[in-house]
Amino acid sequence: MPVLNLSFAACGFLGIYQLGVVGAFLKHGQKLLNCVEACAGASAGALVAAVLVTAPDKVEHCKEFTYRFANEVRRQSLGAATPGYDFMSALREGIEEILPLNAHEIAGDRLHISITHSKTRKNCMVSSFATREDLIKVLLASSFVPLYAGIKAVEYNGQSWIDGGLTDSLPILPVGRTITVSPFSGTQDICPPHTGVANLNLKLANMDIIFSRDNIVRLNQALFPPAESRMKMIGRDGYDDAVRFLKKENWFH
């Protein structure tokens, strides 16, 4: 069997789409998951990858947290950037709730997280975690959008790190085939189908997306989450798109 990996794109609150994809994999894609050697991700995609690798039984819990978190952000007058609102603290709370105590041991070499050095703006992929706290810090660093999520970058290993999506928003692992998942229409293996006529592709930090009105709306929703009913629909779209992929590639059961 060829080596298979999964990679989840940076996408803010549209991580709910990717949780829908993971739900479909767990229900109908065990044949595929049994062949997957590693999962990669940036920002929200890294969080989804971490759940799949270390706590697949917590996917529903993770969805509920995402809805709660989005509702909280929506209530703020300026969203996550509202003065006095601690976005990173709320995110840490959710991660703490979901990751098992030995998450760092399970994740070693199976989870690859994209982060960006705050000074050099160089990308770094982290796949080894000395402690659970190290894993949490790397996940927080990968999700830290400067100004949006706060002022102070995340400290890890004595250096400051920010959002991995700024430099590599959809990591491709060097060995084998990496199956890519994104809530933006584009060339990814699993993504929403493009419905418009125009077919202009843009490359955003290594992710190919189509320049379309739908994707502009999605980019806005990534940072400013839509109503919970809409988020649930986006999650169902992820589930349906994943089922379509599994059937096309003969992984469905």
Side-chain angles (χ1 to χ4, degrees), residues 42-182:
S43 201
L47 299 170
V48 172
V51 172
L52 179 56
V53 169
T54 71
D57 57 316
K58 293 278 187 74
V59 168
E60 287 307 313
H61 183 122
C62 204
K63 285 183 192 171
E64 290 309 317
F65 166 73
T66 306
Y67 299 139
R68 277 202 318 275
F69 192 17
N71 285 337
E72 198 178 280
V73 167
R74 237 186 346 264
R75 281 198 302 271
Q76 310 303 316
S77 56
L78 299 172
T82 303
Y85 177 65
D86 195 339
F87 179 89
M88 295 303 282
S89 168
L91 180 57
R92 174 184 265 275
E93 224 171 88
I95 295 172
E96 291 267 14
E97 264 179 42
I98 289 157
L99 291 188
L101 293 176
N102 64 338
H104 59 293
E105 293 165 358
I106 303 169
D109 293 329
R110 293 187 56 219
L111 176 63
H112 298 251
I113 301 173
S114 168
I115 58 177
T116 303
H117 195 278
S118 69
K119 304 273 192 304
T120 64
R121 294 296 196 264
K122 291 263 171 64
N123 183 265
C124 176
M125 293 295 296
V126 185
S127 58
S128 168
F129 314 93
T131 62
R132 182 173 182 266
E133 178 59 19
D134 272 0
L135 171 56
I136 290 170
K137 278 182 179 167
V138 175
L139 287 168
L140 288 171
S142 190
S143 301
F144 181 81
V145 180
L147 300 181
Y148 174 84
I151 305 296
K152 196 173 183 304
V154 177
E155 293 288 319
Y156 163 68
N157 267 0
Q159 299 192 60
S160 298
W161 302 89
I162 58 175
D163 191 345
L166 298 173
T167 47
D168 190 352
S169 60
L170 188 61
I172 304 297
L173 295 178
V175 178
R177 176 189 177 189
T178 298
I179 295 165
T180 52
V181 183
S182 169

Side-chain angles (χ1 to χ4, degrees), residues 17 22 32 40 58 61 67 69 85 108 110 117 141 156 171-172 174 189-191 200 205 214 216-217 225 236-237:
Y17 174 93
V22 168
L32 167 67
K58 293 278 187 74
H61 183 122
Y67 299 139
F69 192 17
Y85 177 65
R110 293 187 56 219
H117 195 278
Y156 163 68
I172 304 297
D189 293 297
I190 301 171
C191 66
L200 175 64
D214 285 348
I216 290 167
V217 168
R236 282 196 293 273
D237 289 344

